[in-house]
Amino acid sequence: GTMRLQSNLCLDVANPDSPSGAAVIVDQCTGSASQQWSIGGARNLLFSNLGGEQYCLTEGAAGTQLTIQECTGVTGQNWSMPVLPVLP
């Protein structure tokens, strides 16, 4: 699903056709494929391109652009996810 940051702002992959190393930006929520994310088992946020390949949201050095990269398990690919209550 989408990762909403504020009322109508979502995480978006700037160049989903060439995803490895692509910048992750904040853009208006449109529900497009470039705004679809899932949570992986290793506390990572996954982006899947149209070919079905998965990439991880990756933090580089302090002050650098977030990107999506091949999932390798590096520290910059681990994210804290809020625990949501299970509805009956």
Side-chain angles (χ1 to χ4, degrees):
T2 57
M3 294 293 295
R4 291 184 181 267
L5 305 176
Q6 290 185 14
S7 60
N8 198 33
L9 296 176
C10 289
L11 285 185
D12 197 338
V13 177
N15 187 3
D17 295 329
S18 299
S20 188
V24 175
I25 59 173
V26 175
D27 203 357
Q28 294 295 313
C29 296
T30 63
S32 68
S34 63
Q35 295 181 348
Q36 301 303 308
W37 300 86
S38 60
I39 299 173
R43 294 184 358 197
N44 46 26
L45 287 174
L46 303 173
F47 167 77
S48 297
N49 69 1
L50 295 177
E53 301 163 313
Q54 289 189 330
Y55 297 89
C56 287
L57 178 66
T58 305
E59 174 187 35
T64 61
Q65 177 76 46
L66 289 174
T67 60
I68 55 171
Q69 302 285 342
E70 181 180 334
C71 297
T72 61
V74 297
T75 302
Q77 293 179 340
N78 294 328
W79 301 91
S80 296
M81 308 296 171
V83 177
L84 301 174
V86 177
L87 300 176

